[in-house]
Amino acid sequence: MRTPQRRMTLLATTAAATAALVTGGLLTAVSAQAAAGCRVAYSVASQWPGGFTGNVTVTNLGDPVSGWTLRWSYGAGQQVSQAWGATATQSGAQVSATNVDYNGTLATNGSASFGFNASWNNSSNPDPTSFTLNNVACTGGTTTPTTPSTPGTSGTPGTPGTPTTPPVPSDPPPSVPPPTGLVGWATQNGGTTGGGGAPTTTVSNASALTSALNATGAAVIRVSGTISCSGMLRVRSNKTILGNSGATIVGCGLNVSGDRNVIIRNLTFRDWNDDAINVQESATNIWIDHNTFSNGYDGAVDIKRGSDFVTVSWNRVFNHDKTMLLGHSDDNGAQDTGHLRVTYHHNWFDGSRQRNPRVRFGNPVHVYNNYYRANGGYGVASTENAGVLVEGNYFENVSDTYHLGEADSGPGRLVARNNHFVNSPAGQTGGSVASIPYSYQLDTASTVKSIVTAGAGAGRITV
């Protein structure tokens, strides 16, 4: 059970000195003079057995700073595993959090916020007692520096520490949600809440599952145990479908057809005889998150016929051929154009052969921070004038990472940037893609393999 938030505010100072940032791939030194200081607010937002989420806000009280690293040490073996709004590393007890691209410059009285997930020993989780900013102890107030700080470091594009530039509005987001929270297209068009706070129903057989999914009105449906079924089960609007520990659906799939506001999380699907999840007929605001798919007949997650505002995140697909189809026919442009806007992030395409995803018409489709491993057919295909942004992904042993056109489908447009390649070539690009309207935190591509393999699939979250 998550415990109430606790909060600690520390007053801190730092010397404003030489800082480093990457601009266009070049390392540039920026010097700030005179007095500087800062204020740090550290809080534990939530805590559960073995893990917790922390939030940090740094406020600059002195002269403007370009480039910062905040450091602290833990006294009870806590280990930071993921961060957003900063790049975090840990050596022993010491944690170092370095700015990302959009929050590296702090004006006087300007603030930067970031968060992280970490582990603890289930016995003691004390707050850190001190911080340093750019290697100067944070003690409160302002001071005139006598010793320059150590410049931060960055790498070349696609390597650890490289700031990236997400295609977001010119004003950077004030905060970024945790990696396991809802991000992407499903946050648009009023957002996606599923059943919200509606009553919860727990089902453990096909008949009860079918009835609960097809009922009118908002509901939270918990799936318990293994349910064997066949065909496609209709899912009505305003439903949250959650898998209890080990929950598995065998033989059938879920069909969201013309409905809206549906969340599907923490389920294992295998051996389905049609699609595992089918989103169609102008369905909107769908979030498909932390599921595992294997050994099915057709698509794991197929989205088609004018559907829109969908996020597909933190799923694992293995031992499967046709993974994720976006747009079912070259002849359906009249219904699909202007729709089929989907975000695919932090998915683990674990040897899944093709359609990871295969895109028609949608623009922009955002494919970021996914891990591709040994995909025998191809990774991403952009066809039929679609616009796909392929960003910050990790490709390993993939001979065809991404391309334009597929089979009889004409080419789409594809922009690729900040991807990481291991025994894999850069793919085919061309044209432009519409801008991304939502805020998101892009993980450094070289870290994506470890992040995704640690977090993707069913059983990795508590719901």
Side-chain angles (χ1 to χ4, degrees):
M1 178 177 293
R2 295 177 185 269
T3 60
Q5 176 173 336
R6 71 176 187 269
R7 188 170 186 86
M8 175 183 71
T9 301
L10 300 178
L11 293 177
T13 66
T14 181
T18 305
L21 70 159
V22 168
T23 304
L26 299 177
L27 190 66
T28 305
V30 179
S31 180
Q33 303 295 328
C38 73
R39 179 172 61 248
V40 178
Y42 175 100
S43 66
V44 173
S46 59
Q47 183 170 287
W48 59 96
F52 69 97
T53 295
N55 291 324
V56 179
T57 298
V58 183
T59 302
N60 177 35
L61 303 179
D63 296 310
V65 173
S66 294
W68 53 265
T69 296
L70 186 72
R71 292 187 173 91
W72 69 89
S73 293
Y74 282 122
Q78 300 98 318
Q79 291 288 321
V80 172
S81 58
Q82 297 173 318
W84 49 98
T87 299
T89 59
Q90 185 163 350
S91 177
Q94 186 181 79
V95 180
S96 299
T98 301
N99 66 274
V100 291
D101 178 64
Y102 66 77
N103 63 7
T105 299
L106 293 179
T108 301
N109 294 319
S111 296
S113 296
F114 62 93
F116 58 89
N117 286 337
S119 62
W120 67 297
N121 60 17
N122 292 325
S123 175
S124 176
N125 185 15
D127 296 323
T129 58
S130 62
F131 293 85
T132 66
L133 190 63
N134 291 352
N135 291 332
V136 175
C138 297
T139 58
T142 60
T143 184
T144 301
T146 57
T147 304
S149 64
T150 302
T153 59
S154 293
T156 56
T159 61
T162 303
T164 58
T165 307
V168 296
S170 57
D171 292 330
S175 62
V176 182
T180 54
L182 176 58
V183 182
W185 273 114
T187 65
Q188 305 297 289
N189 192 42
T192 302
T193 57
T200 298
T201 299
T202 299
V203 298
S204 58
N205 59 64
S207 176
L209 176 61
T210 301
S211 296
L213 295 175
N214 198 43
T216 58
V220 176
I221 302 165
R222 286 193 166 273
V223 178
S224 179
T226 298
I227 295 178
S228 296
C229 44
S230 62
M232 301 297 293
L233 308 184
R234 178 73 180 272
V235 182
R236 297 291 185 176
S237 296
N238 304 314
K239 299 292 189 294
T240 296
I241 307 160
L242 304 173
N244 290 341
S245 179
T248 304
I249 295 177
V250 180
C252 72
L254 305 182
N255 182 28
V256 185
S257 182
D259 288 279
R260 69 176 313 276
N261 193 30
V262 173
I263 295 173
I264 303 168
R265 304 184 77 193
N266 204 43
L267 286 166
T268 294
F269 295 83
R270 60 179 172 85
D271 304 327
W272 58 91
N273 57 10
D274 194 337
D275 293 333
I277 298 177
N278 180 42
V279 179
Q280 66 173 349
E281 300 299 353
S282 301
T284 62
N285 294 93
I286 313 297
W287 184 24
I288 300 165
D289 176 73
H290 277 95
N291 303 289
T292 297
F293 304 89
S294 66
N295 196 40
Y297 171 71
D298 203 350
V301 179
D302 282 2
I303 303 165
K304 55 199 181 189
R305 294 187 172 93
S307 296
D308 216 352
F309 304 110
V310 181
T311 293
V312 181
S313 58
W314 295 97
N315 301 285
R316 183 188 178 195
V317 186
F318 69 97
N319 189 28
H320 185 66
D321 181 9
K322 301 173 182 177
T323 305
M324 297 182 183
L325 182 68
L326 181 56
H328 74 291
S329 171
D330 297 347
D331 299 325
N332 207 55
Q335 183 182 22
D336 289 342
T337 300
H339 304 289
L340 298 182
R341 289 169 290 189
V342 179
T343 302
Y344 300 89
H345 75 87
H346 292 93
N347 297 291
W348 183 0
F349 298 113
D350 186 8
S352 51
R353 185 173 176 273
Q354 60 176 317
R355 302 182 181 180
N356 303 293
R358 185 198 199 278
V359 182
R360 294 178 172 98
F361 302 113
N363 182 23
V365 174
H366 196 189
V367 180
Y368 79 92
N369 282 163
N370 301 284
Y371 173 44
Y372 292 82
R373 186 200 67 82
N375 310 108
Y378 61 88
V380 182
S382 178
T383 77
E384 296 300 318
N385 205 35
V388 184
L389 176 61
V390 178
E391 180 180 30
N393 300 286
Y394 191 116
F395 294 93
E396 184 172 21
N397 298 323
V398 181
S399 60
D400 183 354
T401 51
Y402 42 84
H403 61 243
L404 306 179
E406 172 62 23
D408 293 332
S409 300
R413 292 162 287 162
L414 191 149
V415 172
R417 63 190 185 198
N418 299 315
N419 295 291
H420 184 79
F421 303 96
V422 176
N423 194 30
S424 307
Q428 182 185 15
T429 62
S432 61
V433 176
S435 62
I436 304 298
Y438 50 79
S439 301
Y440 65 102
Q441 175 59 42
L442 188 70
D443 291 318
T444 303
S446 60
T447 68
V448 164
K449 176 180 178 179
S450 61
I451 291 171
V452 170
T453 56
R460 301 300 184 92
I461 56 172
T462 301
V463 293

Short mmCIF file of all heavy atoms in Angstrom, two decimals, residues 276-300:
data_model
loop_
_atom_site.label_atom_id
_atom_site.label_comp_id
_atom_site.label_asym_id
_atom_site.label_seq_id
_atom_site.Cartn_x
_atom_site.Cartn_y
_atom_site.Cartn_z
N ALA A 276 -5.40 -9.70 -30.25
CA ALA A 276 -5.42 -9.63 -28.79
C ALA A 276 -6.19 -8.39 -28.33
O ALA A 276 -7.06 -8.47 -27.46
CB ALA A 276 -4.02 -9.62 -28.23
N ILE A 277 -5.86 -7.23 -28.93
CA ILE A 277 -6.61 -6.01 -28.67
C ILE A 277 -6.87 -5.34 -30.02
O ILE A 277 -5.92 -5.10 -30.79
CB ILE A 277 -5.86 -5.04 -27.73
CG1 ILE A 277 -5.65 -5.69 -26.36
CG2 ILE A 277 -6.63 -3.73 -27.59
CD1 ILE A 277 -4.84 -4.83 -25.39
N ASN A 278 -8.12 -5.06 -30.31
CA ASN A 278 -8.52 -4.42 -31.56
C ASN A 278 -9.25 -3.12 -31.23
O ASN A 278 -10.23 -3.12 -30.49
CB ASN A 278 -9.45 -5.35 -32.35
CG ASN A 278 -9.90 -4.75 -33.66
OD1 ASN A 278 -9.10 -4.13 -34.36
ND2 ASN A 278 -11.16 -4.93 -34.00
N VAL A 279 -8.74 -2.00 -31.74
CA VAL A 279 -9.34 -0.68 -31.53
C VAL A 279 -9.80 -0.19 -32.89
O VAL A 279 -8.97 -0.01 -33.79
CB VAL A 279 -8.33 0.28 -30.89
CG1 VAL A 279 -8.95 1.66 -30.69
CG2 VAL A 279 -7.80 -0.27 -29.57
N GLN A 280 -11.09 0.05 -33.07
CA GLN A 280 -11.59 0.35 -34.41
C GLN A 280 -12.85 1.23 -34.37
O GLN A 280 -13.38 1.53 -33.30
CB GLN A 280 -11.89 -0.94 -35.16
CG GLN A 280 -13.03 -1.75 -34.57
CD GLN A 280 -13.42 -2.94 -35.43
OE1 GLN A 280 -12.99 -3.07 -36.57
NE2 GLN A 280 -14.24 -3.83 -34.89
N GLU A 281 -13.28 1.62 -35.57
CA GLU A 281 -14.53 2.36 -35.79
C GLU A 281 -14.58 3.64 -34.94
O GLU A 281 -15.50 3.89 -34.17
CB GLU A 281 -15.74 1.48 -35.51
CG GLU A 281 -15.83 0.24 -36.39
CD GLU A 281 -15.93 0.55 -37.88
OE1 GLU A 281 -16.07 1.72 -38.27
OE2 GLU A 281 -15.85 -0.42 -38.68
N SER A 282 -13.54 4.47 -35.14
CA SER A 282 -13.48 5.81 -34.51
C SER A 282 -13.48 5.75 -32.99
O SER A 282 -13.93 6.70 -32.33
CB SER A 282 -14.63 6.69 -35.01
OG SER A 282 -14.56 6.84 -36.42
N ALA A 283 -12.97 4.68 -32.41
CA ALA A 283 -12.76 4.64 -30.96
C ALA A 283 -11.71 5.68 -30.58
O ALA A 283 -10.74 5.90 -31.33
CB ALA A 283 -12.32 3.24 -30.53
N THR A 284 -11.88 6.31 -29.44
CA THR A 284 -10.94 7.35 -29.02
C THR A 284 -10.58 7.21 -27.55
O THR A 284 -11.32 6.63 -26.76
CB THR A 284 -11.53 8.77 -29.24
OG1 THR A 284 -12.71 8.92 -28.43
CG2 THR A 284 -11.88 9.01 -30.69
N ASN A 285 -9.43 7.80 -27.23
CA ASN A 285 -8.93 7.87 -25.85
C ASN A 285 -8.81 6.47 -25.23
O ASN A 285 -9.57 6.09 -24.34
CB ASN A 285 -9.79 8.80 -25.01
CG ASN A 285 -9.70 10.23 -25.50
OD1 ASN A 285 -10.50 10.67 -26.31
ND2 ASN A 285 -8.69 10.95 -25.03
N ILE A 286 -7.81 5.76 -25.72
CA ILE A 286 -7.54 4.40 -25.28
C ILE A 286 -6.10 4.34 -24.77
O ILE A 286 -5.18 4.84 -25.43
CB ILE A 286 -7.71 3.39 -26.44
CG1 ILE A 286 -9.02 3.64 -27.20
CG2 ILE A 286 -7.62 1.97 -25.91
CD1 ILE A 286 -10.28 3.47 -26.40
N TRP A 287 -5.88 3.71 -23.62
CA TRP A 287 -4.54 3.53 -23.06
C TRP A 287 -4.31 2.04 -22.84
O TRP A 287 -5.01 1.40 -22.06
CB TRP A 287 -4.40 4.30 -21.75
CG TRP A 287 -3.02 4.24 -21.15
CD1 TRP A 287 -1.84 4.02 -21.79
CD2 TRP A 287 -2.68 4.45 -19.77
NE1 TRP A 287 -0.78 4.07 -20.91
CE2 TRP A 287 -1.27 4.33 -19.66
CE3 TRP A 287 -3.45 4.70 -18.63
CZ2 TRP A 287 -0.61 4.46 -18.45
CZ3 TRP A 287 -2.78 4.84 -17.41
CH2 TRP A 287 -1.38 4.73 -17.32
N ILE A 288 -3.29 1.49 -23.52
CA ILE A 288 -2.93 0.08 -23.46
C ILE A 288 -1.52 0.00 -22.87
O ILE A 288 -0.55 0.39 -23.52
CB ILE A 288 -3.00 -0.55 -24.86
CG1 ILE A 288 -4.42 -0.42 -25.42
CG2 ILE A 288 -2.55 -2.00 -24.84
CD1 ILE A 288 -4.53 -0.67 -26.92
N ASP A 289 -1.40 -0.50 -21.65
CA ASP A 289 -0.18 -0.28 -20.88
C ASP A 289 0.20 -1.51 -20.06
O ASP A 289 -0.65 -2.14 -19.42
CB ASP A 289 -0.41 0.91 -19.94
CG ASP A 289 0.76 1.19 -19.02
OD1 ASP A 289 1.78 1.71 -19.51
OD2 ASP A 289 0.66 0.89 -17.82
N HIS A 290 1.50 -1.83 -20.07
CA HIS A 290 2.07 -2.88 -19.23
C HIS A 290 1.37 -4.23 -19.41
O HIS A 290 1.04 -4.92 -18.44
CB HIS A 290 2.05 -2.47 -17.76
CG HIS A 290 3.22 -1.60 -17.37
ND1 HIS A 290 3.14 -0.23 -17.35
CD2 HIS A 290 4.49 -1.91 -17.01
CE1 HIS A 290 4.31 0.28 -16.98
NE2 HIS A 290 5.15 -0.73 -16.78
N ASN A 291 1.18 -4.62 -20.66
CA ASN A 291 0.65 -5.94 -20.97
C ASN A 291 1.73 -6.79 -21.65
O ASN A 291 2.71 -6.26 -22.18
CB ASN A 291 -0.56 -5.82 -21.90
CG ASN A 291 -1.65 -4.95 -21.30
OD1 ASN A 291 -2.31 -5.35 -20.35
ND2 ASN A 291 -1.84 -3.76 -21.85
N THR A 292 1.53 -8.10 -21.66
CA THR A 292 2.43 -9.03 -22.33
C THR A 292 1.63 -9.82 -23.37
O THR A 292 0.54 -10.31 -23.08
CB THR A 292 3.07 -9.99 -21.32
OG1 THR A 292 3.87 -9.24 -20.40
CG2 THR A 292 3.96 -11.01 -22.02
N PHE A 293 2.21 -9.94 -24.57
CA PHE A 293 1.54 -10.61 -25.69
C PHE A 293 2.47 -11.67 -26.28
O PHE A 293 3.65 -11.39 -26.53
CB PHE A 293 1.20 -9.61 -26.79
CG PHE A 293 0.36 -8.43 -26.35
CD1 PHE A 293 0.95 -7.27 -25.88
CD2 PHE A 293 -1.03 -8.48 -26.42
CE1 PHE A 293 0.19 -6.18 -25.48
CE2 PHE A 293 -1.81 -7.39 -26.03
CZ PHE A 293 -1.20 -6.25 -25.57
N SER A 294 1.90 -12.87 -26.56
CA SER A 294 2.72 -13.88 -27.22
C SER A 294 1.85 -14.89 -27.96
O SER A 294 0.73 -15.21 -27.55
CB SER A 294 3.60 -14.62 -26.20
OG SER A 294 2.83 -15.37 -25.29
N ASN A 295 2.39 -15.38 -29.09
CA ASN A 295 1.90 -16.55 -29.80
C ASN A 295 0.43 -16.43 -30.23
O ASN A 295 -0.35 -17.37 -30.10
CB ASN A 295 2.08 -17.81 -28.94
CG ASN A 295 1.96 -19.08 -29.77
OD1 ASN A 295 2.45 -19.14 -30.89
ND2 ASN A 295 1.29 -20.07 -29.22
N GLY A 296 0.07 -15.27 -30.78
CA GLY A 296 -1.29 -15.10 -31.27
C GLY A 296 -1.41 -15.28 -32.77
O GLY A 296 -0.41 -15.42 -33.49
N TYR A 297 -2.65 -15.25 -33.25
CA TYR A 297 -2.92 -15.45 -34.67
C TYR A 297 -2.65 -14.18 -35.48
O TYR A 297 -1.87 -14.19 -36.44
CB TYR A 297 -4.36 -15.91 -34.87
CG TYR A 297 -4.79 -15.94 -36.32
CD1 TYR A 297 -4.29 -16.89 -37.18
CD2 TYR A 297 -5.68 -14.98 -36.81
CE1 TYR A 297 -4.67 -16.91 -38.53
CE2 TYR A 297 -6.07 -15.00 -38.14
CZ TYR A 297 -5.56 -15.96 -39.00
OH TYR A 297 -5.93 -15.96 -40.31
N ASP A 298 -3.31 -13.08 -35.12
CA ASP A 298 -3.13 -11.85 -35.87
C ASP A 298 -2.52 -10.79 -34.94
O ASP A 298 -1.65 -11.11 -34.13
CB ASP A 298 -4.47 -11.41 -36.47
CG ASP A 298 -4.31 -10.50 -37.69
OD1 ASP A 298 -3.19 -10.05 -37.97
OD2 ASP A 298 -5.32 -10.22 -38.36
N GLY A 299 -2.98 -9.54 -35.03
CA GLY A 299 -2.30 -8.47 -34.34
C GLY A 299 -2.34 -8.57 -32.83
O GLY A 299 -3.33 -9.00 -32.23
N ALA A 300 -1.26 -8.14 -32.20
CA ALA A 300 -1.26 -7.99 -30.74
C ALA A 300 -2.10 -6.76 -30.37
O ALA A 300 -2.98 -6.83 -29.51
CB ALA A 300 0.15 -7.87 -30.20
#
